[in-house]
Amino acid sequence: MPTLLQAPLSKDEQTIIDKLVSERMGRPGALLGILEAAQERNPHNYLPLDTLRYIALKTATPLARIYSVATFYALFNLQPQGENTICICRGTACHTRGSRNLLQGTRLDLGLGLEDSESDGTEADKMVLTSPDGKFTVRTVACFGQCAMAPVVEVNHRICGHATERTVRREIATIRGGE
Ligand code: FES
């Protein structure tokens, strides 16, 4: 296993992180800010392990701590993200109004299959899947705080209330049509 001293990032990537660290170190919430900015600069909106290793090295923070922060906050991604995000609420209000069918229909429409679909029976289960063509990431959340509009789906940060399978299919078709 590579050590922290063997961070195989490109020189450019290292320079970017060096700058992020020097701008933020010593400030409150520095580590969160560094991770957030590093993720924003990643073309696939995620934090590769090599990036975490390099941040650990430059901030003199144990890699285990960096990793636990990156896995604790839902905002951080440890896998490459699709170009578009469909977020389906699996909270109780949305579940009782059919969000499980919405999730399963969306998975099938995007070629994601239904393996592991039983594991999302627990409403708080966080699921993140990216379509094979890298166009869509489907994720679940526990509640958007918009329960009156259940079931709620968010497509590229736009909330769609009272969503149906047809709604989601239309959103996907619109995105594909606009490419
Ligand atoms: S349970 Fe879905 S928005 Fe609250």
Coordinates of all heavy atoms in Angstrom, one line a residue, residues 1-15 17 46 48-55 57 63:
M1 N 0.9 -1.2 0.0 CA 0.0 0.0 0.0 C 0.9 1.2 0.0 O 1.8 1.3 0.8 CB -0.9 0.0 1.2 CG -1.8 1.2 1.3 SD -2.8 1.0 2.8 CE -3.4 2.7 3.0
P2 N 0.6 2.2 -0.9 CA 1.4 3.4 -0.9 C 1.4 4.2 0.4 O 0.4 4.1 1.1 CB 0.8 4.3 -2.0 CG -0.2 3.4 -2.7 CD -0.5 2.3 -1.8
T3 N 2.5 4.8 0.8 CA 2.5 5.5 2.0 C 2.1 7.0 1.7 O 1.9 7.3 0.5 CB 3.9 5.6 2.6 OG1 4.7 6.4 1.7 CG2 4.5 4.2 2.7
L4 N 1.9 7.8 2.7 CA 1.5 9.2 2.5 C 2.5 9.9 1.7 O 2.2 10.9 1.1 CB 1.3 9.8 3.9 CG 0.1 9.4 4.7 CD1 0.0 10.2 5.9 CD2 -1.2 9.5 3.8
L5 N 3.8 9.5 1.7 CA 4.8 10.2 1.0 C 4.8 9.9 -0.5 O 5.6 10.5 -1.2 CB 6.2 9.9 1.6 CG 6.4 10.4 3.0 CD1 7.7 9.9 3.6 CD2 6.3 11.9 3.1
Q6 N 4.0 8.9 -0.9 CA 4.0 8.5 -2.3 C 2.7 9.0 -3.0 O 2.2 8.2 -3.8 CB 4.1 7.0 -2.4 CG 5.5 6.5 -1.8 CD 5.5 5.0 -1.8 OE1 4.5 4.3 -1.4 NE2 6.6 4.4 -2.2
A7 N 2.3 10.2 -2.7 CA 1.0 10.6 -3.3 C 1.2 10.8 -4.8 O 1.9 11.8 -5.2 CB 0.6 11.9 -2.7
P8 N 0.6 9.9 -5.7 CA 0.9 10.0 -7.1 C 0.0 11.0 -7.8 O -0.7 10.6 -8.8 CB 0.7 8.6 -7.6 CG -0.3 8.0 -6.6 CD -0.2 8.8 -5.3
L9 N -0.1 12.2 -7.3 CA -0.9 13.2 -8.0 C 0.0 13.9 -9.0 O 1.2 14.0 -8.8 CB -1.5 14.2 -7.0 CG -2.5 13.8 -6.0 CD1 -3.0 15.0 -5.2 CD2 -3.7 13.2 -6.7
S10 N -0.6 14.5 -10.0 CA 0.2 15.3 -11.0 C 0.7 16.5 -10.2 O 0.2 16.9 -9.2 CB -0.6 15.7 -12.2 OG -1.6 16.6 -11.8
K11 N 1.7 17.1 -10.8 CA 2.3 18.4 -10.3 C 1.2 19.5 -10.2 O 1.1 20.2 -9.2 CB 3.4 18.9 -11.1 CG 4.8 18.4 -10.7 CD 5.3 19.3 -9.6 CE 6.5 18.6 -8.9 NZ 6.3 18.5 -7.4
D12 N 0.4 19.5 -11.2 CA -0.7 20.6 -11.2 C -1.7 20.3 -10.1 O -2.1 21.3 -9.4 CB -1.4 20.6 -12.5 CG -0.6 21.2 -13.7 OD1 0.5 21.8 -13.3 OD2 -1.0 21.1 -14.8
E13 N -2.0 19.1 -9.9 CA -3.0 18.7 -8.8 C -2.4 19.1 -7.5 O -3.1 19.6 -6.6 CB -3.4 17.3 -8.9 CG -4.3 16.9 -10.1 CD -4.4 15.4 -10.3 OE1 -3.4 14.7 -10.2 OE2 -5.5 15.0 -10.7
Q14 N -1.1 18.7 -7.3 CA -0.4 19.0 -6.0 C -0.4 20.6 -5.8 O -0.7 21.0 -4.7 CB 1.0 18.5 -6.1 CG 1.0 17.0 -6.0 CD 2.4 16.4 -5.9 OE1 3.3 17.1 -5.5 NE2 2.6 15.2 -6.3
T15 N -0.1 21.3 -6.9 CA -0.1 22.8 -6.7 C -1.4 23.3 -6.3 O -1.5 24.2 -5.4 CB 0.3 23.4 -8.1 OG1 1.6 22.8 -8.4 CG2 0.5 24.9 -7.9
I17 N -3.8 21.8 -4.6 CA -4.0 21.4 -3.2 C -3.1 22.2 -2.3 O -3.6 22.7 -1.2 CB -3.9 19.9 -3.0 CG1 -5.1 19.2 -3.7 CG2 -4.0 19.6 -1.5 CD1 -5.0 17.7 -3.7
Y46 N -15.5 14.4 -7.2 CA -15.2 13.5 -6.1 C -13.8 13.6 -5.6 O -13.0 14.4 -6.1 CB -15.5 12.0 -6.5 CG -14.4 11.3 -7.3 CD1 -13.9 10.2 -6.7 CD2 -14.0 11.7 -8.5 CE1 -12.9 9.4 -7.4 CE2 -13.0 11.0 -9.2 CZ -12.5 9.9 -8.6 OH -11.5 9.2 -9.3
P48 N -10.7 11.5 -4.9 CA -10.0 10.2 -5.1 C -9.1 9.9 -3.8 O -8.7 10.9 -3.2 CB -9.1 10.4 -6.3 CG -9.6 11.6 -7.0 CD -10.3 12.4 -5.9
L49 N -8.8 8.7 -3.6 CA -7.9 8.3 -2.4 C -6.6 9.1 -2.5 O -6.1 9.5 -1.5 CB -7.8 6.8 -2.4 CG -7.0 6.3 -1.1 CD1 -7.7 6.8 0.1 CD2 -7.0 4.8 -1.2
D50 N -6.0 9.2 -3.7 CA -4.7 9.9 -3.8 C -4.8 11.3 -3.3 O -3.9 11.9 -2.7 CB -4.2 9.8 -5.2 CG -3.8 8.4 -5.6 OD1 -3.5 7.6 -4.7 OD2 -3.7 8.2 -6.8
T51 N -6.0 12.0 -3.6 CA -6.2 13.3 -3.1 C -6.3 13.4 -1.6 O -5.7 14.2 -1.0 CB -7.5 13.9 -3.8 OG1 -7.3 13.9 -5.2 CG2 -7.8 15.3 -3.3
L52 N -7.0 12.4 -1.0 CA -7.1 12.4 0.4 C -5.7 12.2 1.0 O -5.4 12.8 2.0 CB -8.0 11.2 0.9 CG -9.5 11.4 0.4 CD1 -10.3 10.2 1.0 CD2 -10.1 12.7 0.9
R53 N -4.9 11.3 0.4 CA -3.6 11.0 0.9 C -2.7 12.3 0.9 O -2.0 12.6 1.9 CB -2.9 10.0 0.1 CG -3.3 8.6 0.4 CD -2.3 7.6 -0.2 NE -2.8 6.2 0.0 CZ -3.3 5.5 -0.9 NH1 -3.4 5.9 -2.2 NH2 -3.7 4.3 -0.7
Y54 N -2.8 13.0 -0.2 CA -2.0 14.2 -0.3 C -2.5 15.3 0.7 O -1.6 16.0 1.3 CB -2.1 14.8 -1.8 CG -1.0 15.8 -2.0 CD1 0.3 15.5 -2.1 CD2 -1.4 17.1 -2.2 CE1 1.3 16.5 -2.3 CE2 -0.4 18.1 -2.4 CZ 0.9 17.8 -2.5 OH 1.9 18.7 -2.7
I55 N -3.8 15.4 0.9 CA -4.3 16.4 1.8 C -3.8 16.0 3.2 O -3.4 16.9 4.0 CB -5.8 16.5 1.7 CG1 -6.2 17.2 0.4 CG2 -6.4 17.3 2.9 CD1 -7.7 17.2 0.1
L57 N -1.1 14.5 4.0 CA 0.3 14.8 4.1 C 0.5 16.3 4.3 O 1.3 16.7 5.2 CB 1.0 14.4 2.7 CG 2.4 14.7 2.6 CD1 3.3 13.9 3.5 CD2 2.9 14.4 1.1
L63 N -4.5 10.1 7.9 CA -5.3 9.7 6.8 C -6.7 9.2 7.3 O -7.7 9.5 6.7 CB -4.7 8.7 5.9 CG -5.5 8.2 4.7 CD1 -5.9 9.4 3.8 CD2 -4.7 7.2 3.9

